[in-house]
Amino acid sequence: DSGPVARAAHDFGGLLDALADAACGMAASFKPQELTNMLWSYATLKQRHSRLFEVLGESAASRMAEFTPQGISQTVWSFAKLWSYKVWIYSGKGSKGAAPETCLGRSRAALLQAAVGAALPRLASFDPVSISALAWGFANLEVEDAPLLSAICQQATARPSAFDAASAAQLLWALAKLEEGVDREAISAMARRLTQLAAAGLAPQQLQYALGALGKLGPAGLGSGLGSVLCTCAAKAAPTLAPIKL
């Protein structure tokens, strides 16, 4: 990757390591938002600093009840962005169906458990972006949590019009990838919502999520005619997409 984010991470690698080491030494003094910001920043820069995520993850897990809905979802998103299921497997750190037996693996497991505990009683107050990011995090980590997904599905069916194209596509992808607690009506609600919004066009990332869900569930699984709409969107977007997106 030669994009600006990759170049910045390369140019300031030493500084990022020093900042991570300093943060590990003062994790207990961080406010919840500061913990989230630190993890989010390293995830966005694609800096897989194991010690940072282990230490700050443990601190976040112990204080998750203090986090805002956005803070909960962004913290889970940060772990999922860098430490997905595929990363664990390909690095030899874990196996499907089992939490990796490493300090970071235990930190991740504790953080996800704390996130569920903090999110479930307050999920009705989560905005659609936070709901979709939380679901995406669990899906990318391939962690099934039936009570959480059931509650997320209830929110999706109760207020589908609140979701914009980005949050609807992201949530649709997550629901297609997970199984336990997933309600087909929630999938249909997001598919119908995305069909409505796709008339104005979809951004490349939104299109990828939607096509990923289509590939997982098939046209019959999504219903609502979303498949044909996505084909039209893909044809229109093709000339502007980078080769890797195609």
Side-chain angles (χ1 to χ4, degrees):
D1 188 350
S2 59
V5 171
R7 289 197 296 272
H10 178 270
D11 294 343
F12 298 100
L15 174 61
L16 292 171
D17 287 342
L19 289 173
D21 291 339
C24 288
M26 56 188 297
S29 67
F30 276 30
K31 297 176 182 177
Q33 188 60 54
E34 293 168 342
L35 289 170
T36 296
N37 290 348
M38 196 73 180
L39 293 170
W40 180 89
S41 297
Y42 276 71
T44 300
L45 289 169
K46 301 179 181 178
Q47 291 294 293
R48 219 171 256 116
H49 197 291
S50 300
R51 179 65 178 162
L52 177 74
F53 277 76
E54 175 194 337
V55 174
L56 267 61
E58 289 176 352
S59 183
S62 68
R63 303 171 58 190
M64 194 61 72
E66 304 172 34
F67 282 56
T68 64
Q70 185 182 42
I72 294 171
S73 63
Q74 285 188 343
T75 301
V76 172
W77 179 92
S78 299
F79 265 78
K81 182 71 173 178
L82 290 185
W83 305 103
S84 67
Y85 158 69
K86 290 181 180 178
V87 170
W88 288 113
I89 297 305
Y90 295 148
S91 63
K93 292 182 177 179
S95 58
K96 189 171 179 62
E101 289 301 320
T102 63
C103 291
L104 179 59
R106 289 189 289 273
S107 176
R108 187 194 76 163
L111 181 123
L112 294 179
Q113 184 177 14
V116 171
L120 273 176
R122 295 190 279 158
L123 205 59
S125 68
F126 277 47
D127 61 274
V129 173
S130 296
I131 289 175
S132 62
L134 183 62
W136 181 91
F138 276 77
N140 207 45
L141 290 168
E142 298 198 15
V143 174
E144 302 273 357
D145 190 284
L148 177 65
L149 265 295
S150 177
I152 286 175
C153 286
Q154 290 176 18
Q155 293 302 314
T157 55
R159 45 184 171 131
S161 61
F163 288 77
D164 61 10
S167 56
Q170 188 178 46
L171 181 55
L172 185 61
W173 179 87
L175 296 181
K177 191 173 180 66
L178 296 170
E179 296 180 359
E180 296 180 19
V182 174
D183 181 0
R184 291 290 174 178
E185 181 52 38
I187 292 176
S188 296
M190 287 298 98
R192 288 192 296 269
R193 178 58 177 161
L194 199 55
T195 301
Q196 296 169 351
L197 297 169
L202 296 175
Q205 185 64 74
Q206 299 162 12
L207 189 57
Q208 281 188 290
Y209 281 142
L211 289 172
L214 180 64
K216 180 73 173 178
L217 298 174
L222 290 180
S224 74
L226 180 59
S228 60
V229 174
L230 291 179
C231 288
T232 301
C233 289
K236 290 181 179 179
T240 65
L241 296 178
I244 192 171
K245 298 293 185 182
L246 290 171

